[in-house]
Amino acid sequence: MTSDDRRIIVEEGLAGRIADIVSPALEQLGYRLVRVRTSQMNGMTLQIMAERPDGTMTIEDCEAVSRGISPVLDVADPISSAYHLEVSSPGIDRPLVRRSDFELWAGHLIKLETNRLLSGRKRFRGRVLSVGDASLRLERDQPAYGEEPVVDIPFDAIGDARLVLTDDLIEASLKAEKAARKGRDTDSGEAEPLN
């Protein structure tokens, strides 16, 4: 795993322990972890959000991941009570958890929450202008009077970040998915569908 593929936004507590348990299994299956969440929905729900390295995730992929990580979770037994396992894709308005995510989706509108005050606030909304080794530069969407329109945000200060659903994002996501699918079809020797 390259440094661009390492998650910079990671879970703590029970979700962090589960992430440590399932990450190696996901990698062996050819997927990468996006996020782990636990909730009290339907008793207890464990949500594992994963994707292929190209950013795609089909229903069949979700089923494969579920079958692949269930035995690992059964052996490790990190949750003492009964729970529902839910495997999902990141979706279009996906969480951004890797440096490469911020690079890939630069120019698109994001919401970001920091774990400490930066420029007098913890919540930011804007477009990533550039990504450095330790931080990103964000152009704020509608900054308040007197606020700097551009802010540098260190990666170690990011608590949560996700894309904001826009028409541009939908169009870019559809193009990226089509390109990834075409690449997989070409790699597997399958014929492309006629359009």
Side-chain angles (χ1 to χ4, degrees), residues 85-158:
L85 175 61
E86 178 184 294
V87 176
S88 67
S89 74
I92 293 177
D93 55 346
R94 60 166 297 131
L96 304 172
V97 297
R98 292 176 171 78
R99 187 175 174 274
S100 60
D101 292 341
F102 291 98
E103 290 172 339
L104 180 64
W105 298 105
H108 289 279
L109 195 59
I110 70 167
K111 288 191 299 188
L112 187 144
E113 190 167 333
T114 60
N115 53 27
R116 61 183 183 258
L117 284 176
L118 295 175
S119 301
R121 62 174 41 229
K122 284 185 151 190
R123 291 192 174 118
F124 298 87
R125 181 179 157 118
R127 298 177 193 282
V128 175
L129 296 175
S130 61
V131 179
D133 289 337
S135 66
L136 62 87
R137 178 160 283 183
L138 186 77
E139 180 179 36
R140 289 182 175 169
D141 180 46
Q142 303 174 343
Y145 179 77
E147 288 184 325
E148 292 294 322
V150 176
V151 62
D152 291 322
I153 301 175
F155 286 125
D156 66 1
I158 300 174

Side-chain angles (χ1 to χ4, degrees), residues 77-90:
D77 199 21
I79 301 174
S80 58
S81 60
Y83 64 92
H84 302 278
L85 175 61
E86 178 184 294
V87 176
S88 67
S89 74

Side-chain angles (χ1 to χ4, degrees), residues 31-97:
Y31 300 92
R32 61 187 191 171
L33 180 64
V34 175
R35 183 177 71 193
V36 173
R37 287 263 166 98
T38 58
S39 73
Q40 297 305 317
M41 278 180 40
N42 302 324
M44 169 68 129
T45 299
L46 169 59
Q47 181 196 49
I48 307 288
M49 192 178 285
E51 66 186 353
R52 290 173 175 261
D54 65 12
T56 62
M57 191 72 168
T58 65
I59 291 171
E60 293 79 14
D61 290 327
C62 290
E63 291 169 352
V65 166
S66 182
R67 284 190 306 272
I69 65 172
S70 287
V72 174
L73 288 167
D74 288 345
V75 169
D77 199 21
I79 301 174
S80 58
S81 60
Y83 64 92
H84 302 278
L85 175 61
E86 178 184 294
V87 176
S88 67
S89 74
I92 293 177
D93 55 346
R94 60 166 297 131
L96 304 172
V97 297

